[in-house]
Amino acid sequence: GEQGEIFATSLAKYGMPFIRYQLFDWGVPAEGSCSCGRGLPLMKLIVGRNDDFVTLPSGKKVGPRLMIPPFELIPRINEFRLIQEKKELIVIEIIKGEEYTQATEDTLKQNLLDILGEPVELSFNYVDEIPRGRHNRPRPLISKVRA
């Protein structure tokens, strides 16, 4: 039931199977078995990609499931993206909505610092556009820090 990195083995290619293929995803396994009768392990939760985790100065990792909700709860933000430049610095790009105020930023900053629980600098940048990634969606969390 612990969170961990996901590796897979594909036996579909008999000539050269992928053995312990690293997916760069993190997840939580589930107990039990599938109702279809297949005996393979189940996943309870996909937590995120390796580069979607914020690595704090202490080495603790915080995933997108904790970092994203504060932004989604504020209707005055049209789009956002967090970029961790180094362990002590997270740059937050925001496309402001019409009613975005300094109080919005202050609330958001305090919520994020409460989640992180360690001293980290949060730098806010207001932009007109956030680059699109896979499936024409912006990646909400990018970490340039390698643990």
Side-chain angles (χ1 to χ4, degrees):
E2 287 186 35
Q3 176 178 300
E5 191 168 2
I6 300 171
F7 288 79
T9 297
S10 170
L11 301 175
K13 300 198 183 287
Y14 298 109
M16 187 169 172
F18 287 121
I19 297 177
R20 292 191 47 80
Y21 181 73
Q22 187 175 18
L23 299 176
F24 300 101
D25 285 328
W26 283 68
V28 177
E31 297 292 326
S33 58
C34 184
S35 60
C36 72
R38 209 169 188 176
L40 300 173
L42 302 176
M43 292 300 303
K44 176 169 47 176
L45 176 66
I46 300 293
V47 179
R49 306 280 298 165
N50 261 352
D51 54 357
D52 289 344
F53 284 81
V54 169
T55 304
L56 298 174
S58 68
K60 176 183 164 190
K61 289 184 173 256
V62 179
R65 289 189 166 271
L66 290 176
M67 297 294 293
I68 306 290
F71 293 90
E72 294 172 336
L73 296 173
I74 299 176
R76 296 173 290 274
I77 296 175
N78 290 341
E79 286 187 33
F80 67 92
R81 177 168 75 165
L82 292 94
I83 303 169
Q84 185 180 27
E85 296 290 343
K86 51 189 175 179
K87 285 185 178 183
E88 306 82 20
L89 173 64
I90 299 172
V91 175
I92 301 165
E93 295 179 340
I94 291 178
I95 299 175
K96 294 190 225 180
E98 288 181 23
E99 297 178 29
Y100 189 95
T101 65
Q102 183 62 43
T104 306
E105 179 182 313
D106 295 341
T107 300
L108 185 57
K109 186 174 192 172
Q110 188 56 55
N111 289 343
L112 291 171
L113 289 172
D114 289 346
I115 289 166
L116 296 171
E118 292 184 26
V120 174
E121 181 184 350
L122 301 175
S123 173
F124 287 79
N125 288 346
Y126 300 102
V127 297
D128 295 323
E129 184 177 27
I130 293 178
R132 301 284 187 204
R134 212 190 249 171
H135 308 295
N136 199 30
R137 289 184 290 190
R139 280 183 56 199
L141 179 60
I142 299 169
S143 178
K144 296 180 180 178
V145 174
R146 297 292 170 232

